[in-house]
Every structure is written in structure tokens, then in C-alpha cells.
Amino acid sequence: METLKRWIAESNRIVFFGGAGVSTESGIPDFRSVDGLYNQKFEYPPETIISHSFFRRDPEYFFRFYREKMLPLGFEPNITHKKLAQWEAEGKLSAVVTQNIDGLHQKAGSKRVYELHGSVLRNYCTRCHQFYPAEFIRDCPGVPKCACGGIVKPDVVLYEESLDAETLEKSIEAIQAADLLLVAGTSLTVYPAAGLIRYYRGDRLVLINRDETPYDGYANLVLHQSLGSVFSQL
Ligand code: CNA
């Protein structure tokens, strides 16, 4: 903790790279913890349901699962989201790169947020590209349809889909320019997102995660603790 505090005090281009673990303390379950989505029972594995081919094949089932498990509306940012927004306002943090789709970093006040996997807050008609808010998806029964008849699809990156090129590019630029890379609340198993941390060139790569990750040996400092307990000391 002392090393982390010193490194943070000495840095002014911090980049935070996070995942679902950042929002578990706001009440949104992650995918891979014991109480995460992957350890709950469904007819198909979650990777199958939230894939592009499944979305095309059975949109009815997809939206049932999506509404119940992936549409995190009404949750509030926690201490980690808030502290990161504060650092950005103070000029210490240059960007948040997130795999999350819940919009909680922006809700906490963060401005430069690169959402690698999109956001549930944006939804578009697949035919005419008309925008729809998340409440539209939540409130309509069955498959959400646009006035033009097209299916309204959440702007989230499904398995088998590629990441937005501009978001990817800006994330890489920020990570390459970072003086401290804080990686937290992610199992670092979803690619290409997880591979982005390899673009960091410095020697202050910090990993904060409750469980071990495949990158523990690659980091300069590893804390196997909950984010709330770490961030409440910063
Ligand atoms: P993951 O694979 O579920 O891993 C989460 C990691 O966070 C695990 O290794 C946990 O040990 C760790 N963790 C959980 N809670 C805490 C905590 N309070 N403090 C410290 N560590 C904690 O999630 P990833 O983000 O790595 O996987 C990528 C997927 C998950 C992305 O595609 C996301 O879109 C997707 N996802 C997002 C949300 C969200 O937007 N809130 C929720 C669930 C899943």
C-alpha cells in the first residue's frame, strides 16, 4: 500500500484499465467470481448467449437474458469510480480504459473513458440507426423493434464481434503514454482487451484484483484485495 501511495503521488499520467470487478461493489455481478454470471445455471453458457451468432439466431432468448442479467440500470458509482474521477479532475489521471458496459465511470464524473466493449446506455436500430435509450430496451416486451421495423441492438461488443477501431487506438495511445498503469477488477482473460496492457512501457504496472490473474507475474506490484478496501486508503 505504501508503494502504491507513493507511486500515485508521483504520477500525473495515470491510466486505469478495469473490468467487471470495478462495479461489483456497486452491486453489479461480474462474470467469473464464484457468485458471478458464469457460475449461475442457464440453458447455454453465457459466452454462447452473448455471441453475435446467437443474437442473430435467437434474439428473443438473447434479449430475455440481456434484460435480466446484463442491463445494469439504477446502480450508483462506488468509491473506486469516484476516486478515479477525482484524479482526472486534479490532472493526475489521463484516461480510464474499461471493459465495462455499465456507464458508471461517466456517472461518477470521469470524462475520458474508453469503453472497449461499448455501453448498455447506447442502442441503435440495426436498419435505420435510430438511437434508443436503455430504458427502451428494458421496457419493451420481447425483441425491441424500431418504428421502421428493424431490431434495436445494444451498442455492446458481443463475442465474435470486433472492437471499435478508434476506441482501441485511443486506449493504446493512452496506455503507451502512461507513467503508471493501474489494472484492476479484471480476470484478464478476455481478448483482445487483456492484451492491451502489453503496450505499457513503464515500470509501474500495478494489478489490484481479488483473484489471481495470468498477468500477476508481469506486474511490478500486485495486490490481491478488494478494490473498495484499497481505494478507501488512497
Ligand atoms: P471477469 O472475468 O468477471 O473478472 C472480474 C475479476 O474481478 C475477477 O478476477 C474478480 O476476482 C475480480 N473482482 C471482482 N470483484 C472485485 C472487487 N470488489 N475488488 C477486486 N477485484 C474484484 O470480468 P472482466 O471484466 O475481466 O471480463 C471481461 C468482460 C466482463 C467484459 O466483456 C465486460 O463487459 C463483462 N462484464 C461487465 C460488467 C459491467 O459492465 N459492470 C459486468 C459483468 C461482466
Coordinates of all heavy atoms in Angstrom, one line a residue, residues 17-88:
F17 N -7.0 0.7 -16.1 CA -7.6 -0.3 -17.0 C -8.4 -1.3 -16.1 O -7.8 -1.9 -15.3 CB -6.4 -1.0 -17.7 CG -6.9 -2.1 -18.6 CD1 -7.1 -1.9 -20.0 CD2 -7.2 -3.4 -18.2 CE1 -7.5 -2.9 -20.9 CE2 -7.6 -4.4 -19.0 CZ -7.8 -4.1 -20.4
G18 N -9.7 -1.2 -16.3 CA -10.5 -2.0 -15.4 C -11.5 -3.0 -16.1 O -11.7 -3.0 -17.3
G19 N -12.2 -3.7 -15.2 CA -13.2 -4.7 -15.7 C -14.3 -4.8 -14.7 O -14.5 -3.9 -13.8
A20 N -15.1 -5.9 -14.8 CA -16.3 -6.0 -14.1 C -16.1 -5.9 -12.6 O -17.0 -5.5 -11.9 CB -16.9 -7.4 -14.4
G21 N -14.9 -6.3 -12.1 CA -14.7 -6.2 -10.6 C -14.8 -4.8 -10.1 O -14.9 -4.6 -8.9
V22 N -14.7 -3.8 -10.9 CA -14.8 -2.4 -10.5 C -16.2 -2.1 -10.1 O -16.4 -1.2 -9.2 CB -14.3 -1.4 -11.7 CG1 -14.5 0.0 -11.3 CG2 -12.9 -1.7 -12.0
S23 N -17.2 -2.8 -10.6 CA -18.6 -2.4 -10.4 C -19.3 -3.4 -9.4 O -20.4 -3.2 -9.1 CB -19.3 -2.4 -11.7 OG -18.9 -1.3 -12.4
T24 N -18.5 -4.5 -9.0 CA -19.2 -5.5 -8.1 C -19.6 -4.8 -6.8 O -20.7 -5.1 -6.2 CB -18.3 -6.7 -7.8 OG1 -17.1 -6.2 -7.3 CG2 -18.1 -7.6 -9.0
E25 N -18.8 -3.8 -6.3 CA -19.2 -3.1 -5.1 C -20.3 -2.1 -5.2 O -20.7 -1.5 -4.3 CB -17.9 -2.6 -4.4 CG -17.1 -3.7 -3.8 CD -15.6 -3.4 -3.5 OE1 -14.9 -2.8 -4.4 OE2 -15.2 -3.7 -2.4
S26 N -20.7 -1.9 -6.5 CA -21.9 -1.1 -6.7 C -23.1 -2.1 -6.8 O -24.3 -1.6 -7.0 CB -21.8 -0.4 -8.1 OG -20.9 0.6 -7.9
G27 N -22.9 -3.4 -6.8 CA -24.0 -4.4 -6.8 C -24.2 -5.1 -8.1 O -25.1 -5.9 -8.3
I28 N -23.3 -4.8 -9.1 CA -23.4 -5.5 -10.4 C -22.5 -6.7 -10.4 O -21.3 -6.6 -10.2 CB -23.0 -4.5 -11.5 CG1 -23.9 -3.3 -11.5 CG2 -23.2 -5.2 -12.9 CD1 -23.5 -2.2 -12.5
P29 N -23.0 -7.9 -10.6 CA -22.2 -9.1 -10.5 C -21.2 -9.1 -11.7 O -21.5 -8.6 -12.8 CB -23.1 -10.3 -10.6 CG -24.5 -9.8 -10.9 CD -24.5 -8.3 -10.8
D30 N -20.0 -9.7 -11.5 CA -19.1 -9.8 -12.6 C -19.3 -11.2 -13.3 O -20.4 -11.8 -13.0 CB -17.6 -9.7 -12.1 CG -17.2 -10.9 -11.1 OD1 -18.0 -11.8 -10.9 OD2 -16.1 -10.8 -10.5
F31 N -18.4 -11.6 -14.2 CA -18.7 -12.9 -14.9 C -18.0 -14.0 -14.2 O -18.6 -15.1 -14.1 CB -18.0 -12.8 -16.3 CG -18.9 -12.1 -17.3 CD1 -18.5 -11.9 -18.6 CD2 -20.2 -11.6 -17.0 CE1 -19.3 -11.3 -19.6 CE2 -21.0 -11.0 -17.9 CZ -20.5 -10.8 -19.2
R32 N -16.8 -13.9 -13.6 CA -16.0 -15.0 -13.2 C -15.8 -15.3 -11.7 O -15.2 -16.3 -11.4 CB -14.7 -15.1 -14.0 CG -14.9 -15.3 -15.4 CD -13.6 -15.3 -16.3 NE -13.9 -15.4 -17.7 CZ -14.3 -14.4 -18.4 NH1 -14.5 -13.2 -17.9 NH2 -14.6 -14.5 -19.7
S33 N -16.3 -14.4 -10.9 CA -16.2 -14.7 -9.4 C -17.1 -15.8 -9.1 O -18.0 -16.2 -9.9 CB -16.6 -13.5 -8.6 OG -15.6 -12.4 -8.7
V34 N -17.0 -16.4 -7.9 CA -17.9 -17.6 -7.5 C -19.4 -17.2 -7.7 O -20.2 -18.1 -8.0 CB -17.6 -18.1 -6.1 CG1 -16.4 -19.1 -6.1 CG2 -17.4 -17.0 -5.1
D35 N -19.7 -16.0 -7.3 CA -21.1 -15.6 -7.4 C -21.4 -14.8 -8.7 O -22.4 -14.2 -8.9 CB -21.5 -14.7 -6.2 CG -20.6 -13.5 -6.0 OD1 -19.5 -13.5 -6.7 OD2 -20.9 -12.6 -5.2
G36 N -20.4 -14.9 -9.7 CA -20.6 -14.2 -11.0 C -21.5 -15.0 -11.9 O -21.9 -16.1 -11.6
L37 N -21.7 -14.3 -13.0 CA -22.7 -14.8 -14.0 C -22.3 -16.2 -14.5 O -23.2 -17.1 -14.8 CB -22.7 -13.9 -15.2 CG -23.9 -13.7 -16.0 CD1 -25.1 -13.5 -15.1 CD2 -23.7 -12.5 -16.9
Y38 N -21.0 -16.6 -14.7 CA -20.7 -17.8 -15.2 C -20.9 -19.0 -14.3 O -20.9 -20.2 -14.7 CB -19.2 -17.8 -15.7 CG -19.0 -17.0 -17.0 CD1 -20.0 -16.2 -17.5 CD2 -17.8 -17.1 -17.7 CE1 -19.8 -15.5 -18.7 CE2 -17.6 -16.4 -18.8 CZ -18.6 -15.6 -19.3 OH -18.4 -15.0 -20.5
N39 N -21.1 -18.7 -13.0 CA -21.4 -19.8 -12.1 C -22.9 -19.9 -11.8 O -23.2 -20.6 -10.9 CB -20.5 -19.6 -10.8 CG -19.1 -19.8 -11.1 OD1 -18.7 -20.8 -11.7 ND2 -18.2 -18.9 -10.7
Q40 N -23.7 -19.3 -12.5 CA -25.1 -19.4 -12.4 C -25.6 -20.4 -13.5 O -24.9 -20.5 -14.5 CB -25.8 -18.1 -12.5 CG -25.4 -17.1 -11.5 CD -26.0 -15.7 -11.6 OE1 -26.9 -15.5 -12.4 NE2 -25.4 -14.7 -11.0
K41 N -26.7 -21.0 -13.3 CA -27.1 -22.0 -14.3 C -28.1 -21.5 -15.4 O -29.1 -20.9 -15.1 CB -27.9 -23.2 -13.6 CG -26.9 -24.1 -12.8 CD -26.4 -25.2 -13.6 CE -25.3 -26.0 -12.9 NZ -24.0 -25.3 -12.8
F42 N -27.7 -21.6 -16.6 CA -28.5 -21.3 -17.7 C -28.5 -22.4 -18.7 O -27.7 -23.3 -18.7 CB -28.0 -20.0 -18.4 CG -28.1 -18.8 -17.6 CD1 -26.9 -18.3 -16.9 CD2 -29.3 -18.2 -17.3 CE1 -27.0 -17.2 -16.1 CE2 -29.3 -17.1 -16.5 CZ -28.2 -16.6 -15.9
E43 N -29.5 -22.3 -19.7 CA -29.6 -23.4 -20.7 C -28.4 -23.5 -21.6 O -28.0 -24.6 -22.1 CB -30.8 -23.0 -21.6 CG -31.9 -24.0 -21.5 CD -33.1 -23.4 -22.2 OE1 -33.7 -22.5 -21.7 OE2 -33.4 -23.9 -23.4
Y44 N -27.7 -22.3 -21.8 CA -26.5 -22.3 -22.6 C -25.4 -21.5 -21.8 O -25.8 -20.7 -20.9 CB -26.7 -21.5 -23.9 CG -27.9 -21.9 -24.7 CD1 -29.1 -21.3 -24.5 CD2 -27.8 -22.9 -25.6 CE1 -30.2 -21.6 -25.3 CE2 -28.9 -23.3 -26.4 CZ -30.1 -22.6 -26.2 OH -31.2 -23.0 -27.0
P45 N -24.2 -21.7 -22.1 CA -23.1 -20.9 -21.4 C -23.3 -19.4 -21.8 O -23.7 -19.2 -22.9 CB -21.8 -21.5 -21.9 CG -22.1 -22.6 -22.8 CD -23.6 -22.7 -23.0
P46 N -23.1 -18.5 -20.9 CA -23.2 -17.1 -21.2 C -22.5 -16.6 -22.5 O -23.0 -15.8 -23.2 CB -22.7 -16.3 -20.0 CG -22.9 -17.3 -18.8 CD -22.7 -18.7 -19.4
E47 N -21.2 -17.2 -22.7 CA -20.5 -16.8 -23.9 C -21.3 -17.1 -25.2 O -21.1 -16.5 -26.2 CB -19.2 -17.6 -24.0 CG -18.1 -17.3 -23.0 CD -18.1 -18.4 -21.9 OE1 -19.2 -18.9 -21.6 OE2 -17.0 -18.7 -21.4
T48 N -22.1 -18.2 -25.1 CA -22.9 -18.6 -26.3 C -24.0 -17.6 -26.5 O -24.2 -17.1 -27.6 CB -23.5 -20.0 -26.1 OG1 -22.4 -20.9 -25.8 CG2 -24.3 -20.4 -27.3
I49 N -24.7 -17.3 -25.4 CA -25.9 -16.4 -25.5 C -25.5 -15.0 -25.9 O -26.1 -14.4 -26.8 CB -26.6 -16.3 -24.1 CG1 -27.0 -17.7 -23.7 CG2 -27.9 -15.4 -24.3 CD1 -27.6 -17.7 -22.3
I50 N -24.3 -14.5 -25.4 CA -24.0 -13.1 -25.8 C -22.9 -13.1 -26.9 O -22.0 -12.3 -26.9 CB -23.5 -12.3 -24.6 CG1 -22.4 -13.0 -23.8 CG2 -24.6 -11.9 -23.6 CD1 -21.9 -12.2 -22.6
S51 N -23.2 -14.0 -27.9 CA -22.4 -14.0 -29.1 C -23.2 -13.5 -30.2 O -24.4 -13.5 -30.2 CB -21.9 -15.4 -29.4 OG -23.0 -16.2 -29.8
H52 N -22.5 -13.0 -31.2 CA -23.2 -12.4 -32.4 C -24.1 -13.5 -33.1 O -25.2 -13.2 -33.5 CB -22.2 -11.9 -33.4 CG -22.8 -11.2 -34.5 ND1 -23.3 -9.9 -34.5 CD2 -23.0 -11.6 -35.8 CE1 -23.8 -9.6 -35.6 NE2 -23.6 -10.6 -36.5
S53 N -23.6 -14.7 -33.3 CA -24.4 -15.7 -34.0 C -25.6 -16.1 -33.2 O -26.7 -16.3 -33.8 CB -23.5 -16.9 -34.3 OG -22.8 -17.3 -33.2
F54 N -25.5 -16.1 -31.9 CA -26.7 -16.4 -31.1 C -27.7 -15.3 -31.2 O -29.0 -15.5 -31.3 CB -26.3 -16.7 -29.6 CG -27.5 -17.3 -28.8 CD1 -27.6 -18.7 -28.6 CD2 -28.4 -16.5 -28.2 CE1 -28.6 -19.2 -27.9 CE2 -29.5 -17.1 -27.5 CZ -29.5 -18.4 -27.3
F55 N -27.2 -14.1 -31.1 CA -28.1 -12.9 -31.2 C -28.9 -13.0 -32.5 O -30.1 -12.7 -32.6 CB -27.3 -11.6 -31.2 CG -28.0 -10.3 -31.5 CD1 -28.8 -9.7 -30.5 CD2 -28.0 -9.8 -32.8 CE1 -29.5 -8.6 -30.8 CE2 -28.7 -8.6 -33.1 CZ -29.4 -8.0 -32.1
R56 N -28.2 -13.4 -33.6 CA -28.9 -13.5 -34.9 C -29.9 -14.6 -35.0 O -31.0 -14.6 -35.5 CB -27.9 -13.7 -36.1 CG -26.9 -12.6 -36.2 CD -27.5 -11.4 -36.9 NE -28.0 -11.7 -38.3 CZ -27.3 -11.6 -39.4 NH1 -26.0 -11.1 -39.3 NH2 -27.7 -11.9 -40.5
R57 N -29.5 -15.8 -34.3 CA -30.3 -17.0 -34.4 C -31.5 -16.9 -33.5 O -32.6 -17.3 -33.9 CB -29.4 -18.1 -33.9 CG -29.9 -19.5 -34.3 CD -28.8 -20.6 -34.1 NE -28.3 -20.7 -32.8 CZ -27.1 -20.5 -32.4 NH1 -26.2 -20.1 -33.3 NH2 -26.7 -20.7 -31.2
D58 N -31.4 -16.4 -32.2 CA -32.5 -16.4 -31.3 C -32.5 -15.1 -30.5 O -32.2 -15.0 -29.3 CB -32.3 -17.6 -30.3 CG -33.6 -17.9 -29.5 OD1 -34.5 -17.0 -29.5 OD2 -33.6 -18.9 -28.9
P59 N -32.9 -14.0 -31.2 CA -32.9 -12.7 -30.5 C -33.9 -12.6 -29.3 O -33.6 -12.0 -28.3 CB -33.4 -11.7 -31.6 CG -33.9 -12.5 -32.7 CD -33.3 -13.9 -32.6
E60 N -34.9 -13.4 -29.4 CA -35.9 -13.5 -28.3 C -35.2 -13.9 -27.0 O -35.3 -13.3 -25.9 CB -37.0 -14.5 -28.6 CG -38.2 -14.6 -27.7 CD -39.2 -13.5 -28.0 OE1 -39.4 -13.2 -29.3 OE2 -39.8 -13.0 -27.1
Y61 N -34.5 -15.0 -27.0 CA -33.7 -15.6 -25.9 C -32.6 -14.6 -25.5 O -32.4 -14.3 -24.3 CB -33.1 -16.9 -26.2 CG -32.7 -17.7 -25.0 CD1 -33.4 -18.8 -24.6 CD2 -31.5 -17.4 -24.3 CE1 -33.0 -19.6 -23.5 CE2 -31.1 -18.1 -23.2 CZ -31.8 -19.2 -22.8 OH -31.4 -19.9 -21.7
F62 N -31.9 -14.1 -26.5 CA -30.8 -13.1 -26.2 C -31.4 -12.0 -25.3 O -30.8 -11.6 -24.3 CB -30.2 -12.6 -27.5 CG -29.3 -11.4 -27.3 CD1 -27.9 -11.7 -27.1 CD2 -29.7 -10.1 -27.2 CE1 -27.0 -10.6 -26.8 CE2 -28.9 -9.1 -27.0 CZ -27.5 -9.3 -26.8
F63 N -32.5 -11.4 -25.7 CA -33.0 -10.2 -25.0 C -33.6 -10.6 -23.6 O -33.5 -9.8 -22.7 CB -34.0 -9.4 -25.9 CG -33.3 -8.5 -26.8 CD1 -33.3 -8.8 -28.2 CD2 -32.7 -7.4 -26.3 CE1 -32.6 -7.9 -29.1 CE2 -32.0 -6.5 -27.2 CZ -32.0 -6.8 -28.6
R64 N -34.1 -11.8 -23.5 CA -34.5 -12.2 -22.2 C -33.3 -12.3 -21.2 O -33.4 -11.7 -20.1 CB -35.2 -13.6 -22.3 CG -36.6 -13.6 -21.6 CD -37.2 -15.0 -21.6 NE -37.2 -15.7 -22.9 CZ -36.9 -16.9 -23.1 NH1 -36.5 -17.7 -22.1 NH2 -36.9 -17.5 -24.3
F65 N -32.3 -12.9 -21.6 CA -31.0 -13.0 -20.8 C -30.5 -11.6 -20.6 O -30.1 -11.2 -19.5 CB -30.0 -13.9 -21.6 CG -28.7 -14.0 -20.9 CD1 -28.5 -15.0 -19.9 CD2 -27.6 -13.2 -21.1 CE1 -27.3 -15.2 -19.3 CE2 -26.4 -13.3 -20.5 CZ -26.3 -14.3 -19.6
Y66 N -30.4 -10.8 -21.7 CA -29.8 -9.5 -21.6 C -30.5 -8.6 -20.6 O -29.9 -7.9 -19.8 CB -29.8 -8.9 -23.0 CG -29.2 -7.5 -23.1 CD1 -27.8 -7.3 -23.2 CD2 -30.1 -6.4 -23.0 CE1 -27.3 -6.0 -23.2 CE2 -29.5 -5.1 -23.1 CZ -28.2 -4.9 -23.2 OH -27.7 -3.6 -23.2
R67 N -31.8 -8.6 -20.7 CA -32.6 -7.7 -19.8 C -32.4 -8.1 -18.3 O -32.3 -7.3 -17.4 CB -34.1 -7.8 -20.1 CG -34.6 -6.8 -21.1 CD -36.1 -6.8 -21.2 NE -36.4 -6.2 -22.5 CZ -36.7 -7.0 -23.6 NH1 -36.8 -8.3 -23.5 NH2 -36.9 -6.4 -24.7
E68 N -32.4 -9.5 -18.1 CA -32.3 -10.0 -16.8 C -30.9 -9.8 -16.2 O -30.8 -9.5 -15.0 CB -32.8 -11.4 -16.7 CG -33.1 -11.9 -15.4 CD -33.4 -13.4 -15.4 OE1 -34.1 -13.8 -16.3 OE2 -33.0 -14.1 -14.5
K69 N -29.9 -10.1 -17.0 CA -28.6 -10.2 -16.4 C -27.6 -9.1 -16.8 O -26.5 -9.0 -16.2 CB -28.0 -11.6 -16.9 CG -28.7 -12.7 -16.4 CD -28.6 -12.9 -14.9 CE -29.5 -13.9 -14.3 NZ -29.5 -13.9 -12.8
M70 N -27.9 -8.4 -17.9 CA -26.8 -7.5 -18.4 C -27.2 -6.1 -18.5 O -26.4 -5.2 -18.9 CB -26.4 -8.0 -19.8 CG -25.7 -9.4 -19.7 SD -25.0 -9.8 -21.3 CE -23.8 -8.5 -21.5
L71 N -28.4 -5.7 -18.1 CA -28.8 -4.4 -18.2 C -28.8 -3.7 -16.8 O -29.8 -3.7 -16.1 CB -30.3 -4.3 -18.8 CG -30.8 -3.0 -19.4 CD1 -29.8 -2.5 -20.4 CD2 -32.1 -3.2 -20.0
P72 N -27.6 -3.2 -16.4 CA -27.5 -2.8 -15.0 C -28.0 -1.3 -14.9 O -27.2 -0.4 -14.8 CB -26.0 -2.9 -14.8 CG -25.4 -2.7 -16.1 CD -26.4 -3.0 -17.2
L73 N -29.3 -1.1 -14.8 CA -29.8 0.2 -14.6 C -30.1 0.5 -13.1 O -30.4 -0.4 -12.4 CB -31.0 0.4 -15.4 CG -30.8 0.3 -17.0 CD1 -32.2 0.6 -17.7 CD2 -29.8 1.3 -17.5
G74 N -29.9 1.7 -12.7 CA -30.3 2.1 -11.3 C -29.2 1.8 -10.3 O -29.4 1.8 -9.1
F75 N -27.9 1.5 -10.8 CA -26.8 1.3 -9.9 C -26.0 2.6 -9.7 O -26.0 3.5 -10.7 CB -25.9 0.2 -10.3 CG -26.6 -1.1 -10.2 CD1 -27.3 -1.7 -11.3 CD2 -26.6 -1.8 -9.0 CE1 -28.0 -2.9 -11.2 CE2 -27.3 -3.1 -8.9 CZ -27.9 -3.6 -10.0
E76 N -25.3 2.8 -8.6 CA -24.6 4.0 -8.4 C -23.1 3.7 -8.4 O -22.6 2.7 -7.9 CB -25.0 4.6 -7.1 CG -26.4 5.2 -7.0 CD -26.7 6.2 -8.1 OE1 -25.8 7.0 -8.4 OE2 -27.8 6.2 -8.7
P77 N -22.2 4.7 -8.8 CA -20.8 4.5 -8.7 C -20.3 4.3 -7.3 O -20.9 4.8 -6.3 CB -20.2 5.9 -9.2 CG -21.4 6.6 -9.8 CD -22.6 6.0 -9.3
N78 N -19.2 3.6 -7.1 CA -18.7 3.3 -5.8 C -17.4 4.1 -5.6 O -17.0 4.9 -6.5 CB -18.5 1.8 -5.5 CG -17.5 1.2 -6.6 OD1 -16.4 1.8 -6.8 ND2 -17.9 0.1 -7.2
I79 N -16.7 3.9 -4.5 CA -15.5 4.7 -4.2 C -14.4 4.7 -5.3 O -13.8 5.6 -5.5 CB -15.0 4.3 -2.8 CG1 -13.8 5.2 -2.4 CG2 -14.5 2.8 -2.8 CD1 -13.5 5.3 -1.0
T80 N -14.3 3.5 -5.9 CA -13.3 3.4 -7.0 C -13.6 4.3 -8.2 O -12.8 5.1 -8.6 CB -13.2 1.9 -7.5 OG1 -12.9 1.1 -6.3 CG2 -12.1 1.7 -8.5
H81 N -14.9 4.2 -8.7 CA -15.3 5.1 -9.7 C -15.0 6.6 -9.3 O -14.5 7.4 -10.1 CB -16.8 5.0 -10.1 CG -17.2 3.6 -10.5 ND1 -17.8 2.7 -9.7 CD2 -17.1 3.0 -11.7 CE1 -18.1 1.6 -10.3 NE2 -17.7 1.7 -11.5
K82 N -15.4 6.9 -8.1 CA -15.4 8.3 -7.7 C -13.9 8.8 -7.5 O -13.6 10.0 -7.9 CB -16.1 8.5 -6.3 CG -17.6 8.3 -6.5 CD -18.3 8.4 -5.1 CE -19.7 8.0 -5.2 NZ -20.3 7.8 -3.9
K83 N -13.1 8.0 -7.0 CA -11.7 8.4 -6.8 C -11.0 8.6 -8.2 O -10.2 9.6 -8.4 CB -10.9 7.3 -6.0 CG -9.5 7.6 -5.6 CD -9.4 8.8 -4.7 CE -9.7 8.5 -3.3 NZ -9.4 9.7 -2.4
L84 N -11.3 7.8 -9.1 CA -10.7 7.9 -10.5 C -11.2 9.2 -11.1 O -10.4 9.9 -11.8 CB -11.1 6.7 -11.4 CG -10.5 5.4 -10.9 CD1 -11.2 4.2 -11.7 CD2 -9.0 5.3 -11.1
A85 N -12.5 9.6 -11.0 CA -13.0 10.8 -11.5 C -12.3 12.0 -10.8 O -11.9 13.0 -11.5 CB -14.5 10.9 -11.3
Q86 N -12.0 11.9 -9.5 CA -11.3 12.9 -8.8 C -9.9 13.1 -9.3 O -9.5 14.2 -9.5 CB -11.3 12.6 -7.3 CG -10.7 13.6 -6.4 CD -10.4 13.0 -5.0 OE1 -11.1 12.2 -4.4 NE2 -9.2 13.3 -4.5
W87 N -9.2 12.0 -9.5 CA -7.8 12.1 -10.0 C -7.8 12.8 -11.4 O -6.9 13.5 -11.7 CB -7.2 10.7 -10.1 CG -6.9 10.1 -8.8 CD1 -6.8 10.8 -7.6 CD2 -6.5 8.7 -8.6 NE1 -6.4 9.9 -6.6 CE2 -6.3 8.6 -7.2 CE3 -6.4 7.6 -9.3 CZ2 -5.9 7.4 -6.6 CZ3 -6.1 6.4 -8.8 CH2 -5.8 6.3 -7.4
E88 N -8.8 12.5 -12.2 CA -8.8 13.1 -13.6 C -9.0 14.6 -13.4 O -8.3 15.4 -14.1 CB -9.9 12.5 -14.4 CG -9.9 13.0 -15.8 CD -11.1 12.5 -16.7 OE1 -12.0 11.8 -16.2 OE2 -11.1 12.8 -17.9

